Amino acid sequence: MSNMNKAVVIGAGIAGLITARMLSDYYKEVYIVERDELSTTPANRQGTPQSFHPHRVLPRGHMILERYFPGYTNDLLDHGAHPSDAEEMMLVNQFGTLVVRPPSGSASSSRALLEWVLRRRVQNIHHVHFLTNTEVTGLMSSKDQQTIIGVYTKERNQNKQEGMLTADMVIDAAGRTSKVIKWLNLLGHTVPDQEVLKVSLGYSTQYYKIPPQAEKHWKSVISDAHPAKGIGTGTLMRIEDNIAGTLLFSAGGEHYPSTKPNEYKEELKNLGTSKIFEIVGNLEPFQGPRGYRTSESIRQHFEQIENWPSGLLVLGDSFCTFDPIYGQGMTVAAMEAETIANCLEEQRSNPQPYFERHVLHRMQETIEPAWWLSSTADLRWKGVEYIGATPLKGVTFAQKYIDLFTKKATELATNGDSRFYLMQFLMNSLVLPPSKFFNEKILTMILNDNGSPEEKQLRTELGVQDPQLFQQRIEEIIPSFDAAFDERLKDVLMAFEQ
Ligand SMILES: Cc1cc2nc3c(=O)[nH]c(=O)nc-3n(C[C@H](O)[C@H](O)[C@H](O)COP(=O)(O)OP(=O)(O)OC[C@H]3O[C@@H](n4cnc5c(N)ncnc54)[C@H](O)[C@@H]3O)c2cc1C
């Protein structure tokens, strides 16, 4: 524990909880201010409307959660969550269907249960204090406005009592409805242009009870979207207590998944597979369908504010939002919290003069692969548009490369070799750096002159024939993301070095 005194975290969502846990290693007191009342049992709540929808933790996020909350998976299992490797999962894409057994060691649950498990751990840390039913209404700054010295608060009960909480560090983890931009404006800062993915996405989720007699027909299913054909994503997964959820997703704004039970059922038939429709025929509808729509994913560029105040950081959805279908949001929040921890460690031995701005730069490096991968995938949908200071690098090439790779990996996996399929899964899970996936060796493996449309398209995008030039060309086209991957992933990466 260092001599830093007090930190305040705004918001007790997933990002806020991981951050408070991480800060408890560095600060003598950590306050977490949450506008909702937090229940003593797992429950959805007003401040996190997304929690109705299925939330999965990617392997990178799982690794970080196990670091900060050792054994949290066992807590989930003790409260009815479903072990990830308990049964086979069917994966469907435009090139084929695979049945795999997911890796062991994780559990699937509702977001409410996950949040409750993490919250109970944080509540048990003696120097972390929760102020609930209390809204942060503004940032307190020094007279010269160069330093944030705390937050203004207002209770949400009848008294509406206003208060102040001083702090050496304030971290905004207030999610999509964060007011941090308004507060920065009040301090005289002009917030730089954001990167925006105009995604116009729609979700619709329904839950079912799995009766005992339906167990024999049960399988988890992920049916990938095929945007060129207007086919959306569909998933069927268990959460806790023998409850399963189906999720329909599409982007581009031309069609939004229905929230009307009969139409929803029909739409389950029209996915890449009818398997989900068949399985839910044996289940008992329980809750939903309920929808969620958003027009944009937004990535802030606070690191570009030259006189960014000291004592203030931002993370989670208030820093960058992602298309939820790729399951990245909580994992990226965990990666950002870990980045802050790394910077706090480095600050001890090698102090940086503009610490907070330096951290924001490092967090951008952390975010980069997730933002690029999900944007590249979403830009396959007609109607999705990227708006940024410079075009997103390598999108068309990456889409063609991924298509050909997926085709090859699916073929191999159908014949019993799932190594390449696993490789793609680990990249999308933010464990494997994209450079291990986009390189000359893999390219040579997937280009085998079979004259397929996918291969022809990729060769056109590549623009060179000589294999000697492949690596150089790939490095010109695809951004380098290696700063987002650290020592801790060494063991996983070594498996792919041979
Ligand atoms: C439909 C949908 C599905 C998703 N599925 C997944 C998934 O499968 N996997 C995944 O990793 N991510 C998923 N996400 C993203 C995920 O929900 C978030 O990225 C993640 O929870 C991190 O959010 P956060 O903690 O930053 O914000 P939130 O979880 O939104 O929490 C913000 C908290 O701040 C509080 N708050 C806000 N303003 C104030 C204030 N002024 N004062 C005090 N408190 C305040 C709110 O009440 C809330 O508790 C999904 C998102 C959506 C919309």
Side-chain angles (χ1 to χ4, degrees):
M1 181 107 68
S2 86
N3 54 5
M4 288 184 283
N5 284 324
K6 196 155 95 183
V8 167
V9 179
I10 309 173
I14 300 290
L17 293 170
I18 304 170
T19 305
R21 163 63 197 86
M22 177 277 292
L23 291 174
S24 71
D25 290 342
Y26 299 93
Y27 286 83
K28 285 184 182 150
E29 303 291 336
V30 179
Y31 284 79
I32 181 161
V33 188
E34 167 56 51
R35 66 182 175 191
D36 278 353
E37 199 59 84
L38 299 173
S39 83
T40 52
T41 51
N44 292 334
R45 55 193 177 82
Q46 209 186 356
T48 53
Q50 74 273 32
S51 59
F52 178 82
H53 299 278
H55 273 60
R56 66 196 161 109
V57 180
L58 299 181
R60 178 84 178 265
H62 174 67
M63 289 161 77
I64 301 172
L65 287 179
E66 279 290 351
R67 172 184 171 198
Y68 284 120
F69 304 92
Y72 87 99
T73 309
N74 291 337
D75 292 3
L76 288 172
L77 293 172
D78 288 347
H79 290 90
H82 192 68
S84 54
D85 58 346
E87 62 209 2
E88 290 177 328
M89 177 184 275
M90 181 183 270
L91 304 172
V92 182
N93 65 42
Q94 55 172 305
F95 302 111
T97 297
L98 300 176
V99 176
V100 300
R101 193 164 283 270
S104 59
S106 61
S108 59
S109 75
S110 64
R111 146 125 190 190
L113 178 58
L114 174 66
E115 190 179 291
W116 178 78
V117 158
L118 301 184
R119 187 163 74 234
R120 281 202 327 167
R121 293 286 191 105
V122 180
Q123 282 167 335
N124 282 333
I125 306 173
H126 70 93
H127 59 295
V128 178
H129 315 280
F130 280 72
L131 285 186
T132 58
N133 221 2
T134 304
E135 183 164 2
V136 170
T137 52
L139 298 174
M140 280 164 70
S141 69
S142 58
K143 274 214 177 87
D144 63 3
Q145 302 195 333
Q146 300 293 304
T147 307
I148 299 306
I149 55 168
V151 294
Y152 296 105
T153 60
K154 192 183 205 173
E155 288 178 10
R156 294 183 95 203
N157 56 22
Q158 279 185 336
N159 298 335
K160 304 261 179 270
Q161 180 80 37
E162 295 188 4
M164 290 187 295
L165 195 57
T166 57
D168 304 296
M169 176 64 79
V170 172
I171 301 197
D172 183 280
R176 288 176 185 243
T177 59
S178 163
K179 304 272 187 320
V180 75
I181 292 182
K182 185 180 130 196
W183 298 336
L184 285 165
N185 290 155
L186 286 172
L187 290 171
H189 297 288
T190 306
V191 171
D193 286 345
Q194 308 150 329
E195 277 178 86
V196 179
L197 189 73
K198 292 200 157 293
V199 68
S200 302
L201 68 85
Y203 252 59
S204 189
T205 297
Q206 172 151 27
Y207 289 101
Y208 313 79
K209 290 186 174 158
I210 310 175
Q213 68 275 17
E215 287 289 350
K216 61 177 182 292
H217 305 290
W218 169 266
K219 222 179 246 331
S220 306
V221 184
I222 299 181
S223 179
D224 283 349
H226 192 180
K229 289 198 169 160
I231 297 173
T233 304
T235 69
L236 170 65
M237 311 281 262
R238 273 187 207 255
I239 52 167
E240 59 271 20
D241 299 338
N242 279 340
I243 295 182
T246 48
L247 158 58
L248 291 173
F249 160 88
S250 57
E254 227 163 61
H255 168 79
Y256 290 98
S258 179
T259 52
K260 295 189 180 135
N262 287 337
E263 286 177 10
Y264 189 88
K265 233 174 165 177
E266 280 305 301
E267 290 181 15
L268 287 175
K269 264 191 212 163
N270 301 327
L271 295 166
T273 172
S274 58
K275 196 71 193 167
I276 298 179
F277 171 78
E278 287 160 28
I279 296 173
V280 300
N282 300 306
L283 311 182
E284 293 166 14
F286 170 54
Q287 283 178 333
R290 189 185 294 176
Y292 176 89
R293 291 182 186 186
T294 186
S295 56
E296 295 173 342
S297 296
I298 294 176
R299 179 181 182 181
Q300 303 293 348
H301 277 286
F302 296 140
E303 78 289 353
Q304 291 172 3
I305 300 180
E306 277 184 20
N307 53 346
W308 178 266
S310 59
L312 178 67
L313 287 172
V314 181
L315 94 173
D317 283 8
S318 52
F319 196 45
C320 187
T321 55
F322 297 90
D323 179 343
I325 198 63
Y326 308 110
Q328 296 169 321
M330 298 188 294
T331 291
V332 170
M335 290 167 70
E336 290 165 342
E338 204 178 46
T339 301
I340 298 174
N342 293 343
C343 294
L344 285 166
E345 287 293 337
E346 288 161 21
Q347 190 69 359
R348 285 175 167 170
S349 52
N350 178 22
Q352 297 282 326
Y354 300 103
F355 173 71
E356 289 77 1
R357 204 165 161 229
H358 167 71
V359 178
L360 292 171
H361 270 287
R362 292 272 294 271
M363 279 173 36
Q364 286 298 356
E365 292 172 354
T366 301
I367 287 173
E368 186 68 20
W371 177 257
W372 183 81
L373 284 166
S374 56
S375 302
T376 297
D378 279 340
L379 284 161
R380 291 173 184 270
W381 287 91
K382 197 166 148 241
V384 176
E385 193 189 348
Y386 170 80
I387 299 169
T390 51
L392 211 55
K393 234 181 134 196
V395 170
T396 315
F397 175 76
Q399 289 171 344
K400 311 280 180 224
Y401 189 108
I402 289 168
D403 278 350
L404 191 58
F405 184 95
T406 308
K407 188 177 182 187
K408 180 88 183 170
T410 308
E411 257 169 43
L412 287 169
T414 319
N415 294 316
D417 175 4
S418 45
R419 191 178 138 86
F420 290 99
Y421 211 87
L422 178 66
M423 183 180 215
Q424 190 164 14
F425 168 74
L426 288 175
M427 176 177 71
N428 291 331
S429 303
L430 308 172
V431 170
L432 193 72
S435 59
K436 303 279 177 211
F437 180 87
F438 294 101
N439 60 47
E440 175 265 331
K441 205 168 129 196
I442 303 290
L443 181 63
T444 312
M445 192 273 295
I446 59 177
L447 286 175
N448 50 12
D449 285 318
N450 64 8
S452 70
E454 293 84 10
E455 176 154 352
K456 280 188 190 149
Q457 288 170 5
L458 181 59
R459 283 192 182 276
T460 308
E461 286 295 326
L462 186 64
V464 293
Q465 303 300 328
D466 180 357
Q468 302 271 354
L469 299 173
F470 282 1
Q471 185 60 31
Q472 182 193 333
R473 185 72 189 121
I474 291 171
E475 284 170 19
E476 283 163 11
I477 302 174
I478 302 288
S480 159
F481 301 100
D482 290 353
F485 299 88
D486 67 18
E487 278 289 291
R488 269 180 279 263
L489 300 168
K490 217 171 53 206
D491 292 347
V492 185
L493 300 185
M494 267 167 58
F496 291 94
E497 295 298 345
Q498 298 98 31

